[in-house]
Amino acid sequence: MKILFLCTAHNSLSQRLFLVLSRKHSITVEYALCAEKMIEAADLAKPHLIICPFLTSLVPQQVYETYLTLIVHPGPPGDAGPSALDWMLMGDDGTVADSRQLLRENRFNPVGRSHWGVTVLQAIAEFDKGPVWAFDQFPVNINDTSVTKSSLYRGPVTQAAVTATLAAIDRIEAAASLEPTPVGAPLSPPTTPRPDGTSSSVSRNTSPGLSADKEFAQLSVTTSEPFLGGKTHHRPLLKASDRQFDVRKHTASTISRRIRSADSQPGCLSDLFGPKLYLYGGIIENPTLLSSNRGHIAPGSIIAVRDEAVCVATCDNKGIWITHVRRVKAKTDAALWPKVPAASGLEQLGISTGSPSTWFHSLLPQTQPEEWARSYHDTFQETWVHFVTDGHKQIAYLYFEFYNGAMSTGQCRRMVRCLEYILSTADGPNQSLPLAAVVLMGGSSYFSNGIHLNVIESAADPALESWYNINAINDIVEKLLLDLPARGVTTISALRGNCAAGGVALAAACDVVVAGEHVVLNPAYRALGLNGSELHSVSYLGRCGAEGAKAALRSMTPLSADDAQGMGLVDHVLRVAPDALDAAVRAHVEGLFPPGKKRGLAPSAKAGAWKRNVDTSPAGLALARAAELGQMSMDFWSARSERYHSRRRDFVRKVKPSSTPLRFATHRREKGMMDEEERDTFDSVEWFVEKTMCSLKRDISDRMVQLIKDFSSSGNNFERSNIRNDGAKVAASTNTTLFGCYYNP
């Protein structure tokens, strides 16, 4: 079928669904920027079916009355409203029907529901009330502090959405094949022509008038069971004020749930640190470390700072970790503020987090090189190592759970120190078991997305911070390509979560890359206006060949794990459920090393075979790094830097795009049409110089015209207070914020 996606943004869920459905169907994507754009897209695409995987606005009546339109809703049947996951994570178990009463009396269940679900329903006039074509469900534990709204969305919600959508399409096709076309009725939506000139009966009958079986709303797709999580209700938008907490009254678990229910949009609005800020994190600190010192610590006191996260004491002898903060957008602000690590964000506001040395050793352990092991208690920890031995050798599994997969300069440098610690265990004077392999496990939601754009955007000099950041992540890659191989250590990357840009190149630098079949990769940097580094000019060339490497960098469209394997970016795809992936990775790694041998790989492993195609000598890598950084310096400082700085700013501050890229909206692409990023001129410094000059000339011309108008209309005495030094009249920003409703306190 021809399927049109209407999306607020082409996010992790829509990309995963796009890749799965593209195996059988033709998919085109339109950003739901306004009703007119959605109507126009439907008229251009003339789809057999419209699917809305992620939509925060209403589908126009003209669209859903013409085309069968499916809404993917992150909630079970009967649940409705824009904050479905938020309410569930707060502890709404469905026993209180009145939403206002639930909030007023704080009757949230601290245990919450046992299950949650995803419903695929048909769009009608009433929001989230259309016929259900499929739903699926999954178990959930709201007190697991690794479970946030965003981690649920990227994980179980996405998986359930894929399962339910596939089932819904099968059911629609089955219903369409049985549905007779009324005599004289127009063929709407369009038909699919066959080679013999006839049309597919399935295609011509996929109309909004198809009937969904009532059983579709009663039994889940995978288990054929009713929803197991309790009663469902229509819930309104959960406002910022509804999540407020008082650290003097609310327990750590309550505060944690409220913070995690707002991750990563919009954040939990709180005055915990004085001024109102959006807070993120919510990891609970073990109470036993604090109980002996509680006599002099008031709730709300900062008791530790670790890796730029801040731990605050709570009223129940525990602590709560705040990992990131975002300032509230004021009316005078042109766009949203960046989301930054808590300690540096508070420092920018002049809020002291105290002397870390006061607390590190007396209350909470700081992560030191000799303490890279996973903590034995619940706490905030970004990076840790787990060593596995078989009596003959050891394998180091390196985990790095960085928020949203972004790796700041500081995080990269800590990871380098961790790798140096791992190397110090290899063949040391007191080490009887040699180090056979290092396995990069990354994070469970994201393996890595490369450099930290929010930290860069918030820096006093974003270009300079970009330079520090790209060099710091390059230092990690050099450890993988030089230091570890020089000691005879095999490097393996295990993609348990999605991966993008520099994160893909980081993984590709390893001898072996394994990935879960659900993982989505976006190897291109280009859409952000970057050439990229991480020695991808070596690893992509060695793994994919010249044409494959060019395609990986220029296509700017997502890849499935199977797609990436076909290109050479991934060596093995593990076909297991996400919750079984860790065990599958361990089993696969152990299979690469025959038991009883100290280091040698199994003959069938072929680890690092791609390196035979390129120069990975120290001199070769130094030359490649210099060439890549030469391009990156132009991305940061030359006239070409406009492409990166503007795109980074819009991405971080969530500025609403003006149109859908043609690479997604194939229904809009005519012969010869290309996105700006697809053209060779996008790499030309001279082209950007000319573009800047033309823009400057137009700007000066427009300003002169406006000045003349102001001068004429004011009788030669206009207000000079409205004129800046450069002569431009001060005006409010016209930028529109994506998800603006979420940021209104």
Side-chain angles (χ1 to χ4, degrees), residues 14 79 518 583 696 737:
S14 64
D79 168 88
H518 63 283
L696 182 61
T737 301

Side-chain angles (χ1 to χ4, degrees), residues 494-497 514-520 561 572-576 581:
L495 308 188
R496 302 181 297 147
V514 299
E517 65 175 340
H518 63 283
V519 169
V520 176
H572 305 279
V573 177
L574 303 180
R575 305 192 185 284
V576 296
L581 187 54

Side-chain angles (χ1 to χ4, degrees), residues 379-580:
T379 188
F380 165 74
Q381 188 173 3
E382 285 185 324
T383 310
W384 67 94
V385 184
H386 178 60
F387 287 97
V388 175
T389 65
D390 66 355
H392 299 277
K393 58 185 172 294
Q394 59 179 342
I395 296 173
Y397 291 84
L398 172 55
Y399 293 81
F400 41 102
E401 285 276 2
F402 298 141
Y403 185 75
N404 285 343
M407 303 174 70
S408 69
T409 303
Q411 288 168 323
C412 291
R413 289 172 178 170
R414 286 194 291 272
M415 194 165 159
V416 166
R417 293 199 300 271
C418 186
L419 285 168
E420 289 172 345
Y421 161 71
I422 294 172
L423 266 174
S424 71
T425 69
D427 298 330
N430 300 316
Q431 181 59 58
S432 58
L433 296 179
L435 180 67
V438 172
V439 186
L440 303 186
M441 298 293 283
S444 55
S445 285
Y446 285 114
F447 175 82
S448 168
N449 285 330
I451 59 176
H452 202 311
L453 300 178
N454 277 269
V455 169
I456 290 169
E457 178 67 14
S458 69
D461 187 339
L464 185 60
E465 181 57 34
S466 299
W467 182 254
Y468 290 151
N469 202 166
I470 196 64
N471 274 281
I473 197 170
N474 279 353
D475 290 342
I476 299 174
V477 177
E478 283 202 359
K479 290 287 182 188
L480 300 173
L481 285 171
L482 283 178
D483 296 13
L484 287 163
R487 304 290 288 274
V489 180
T490 301
T491 56
I492 303 167
S493 54
L495 308 188
R496 302 181 297 147
N498 295 346
C499 194
V504 180
L506 173 66
C510 289
D511 295 316
V512 180
V513 180
V514 299
E517 65 175 340
H518 63 283
V519 169
V520 176
L521 297 87
N522 281 278
Y525 310 79
R526 198 171 178 81
L528 190 66
L530 289 175
N531 172 82
S533 191
E534 296 92 6
L535 291 170
H536 73 264
S537 60
V538 175
S539 59
Y540 286 8
L541 180 63
R543 286 180 164 278
C544 310
E547 289 303 313
K550 182 178 179 180
L553 294 169
R554 295 292 291 260
S555 66
M556 294 174 286
T557 53
L559 299 173
S560 67
D562 289 316
D563 294 335
Q565 184 181 32
M567 295 178 64
L569 290 174
V570 168
D571 298 303
H572 305 279
V573 177
L574 303 180
R575 305 192 185 284
V576 296
D579 57 2

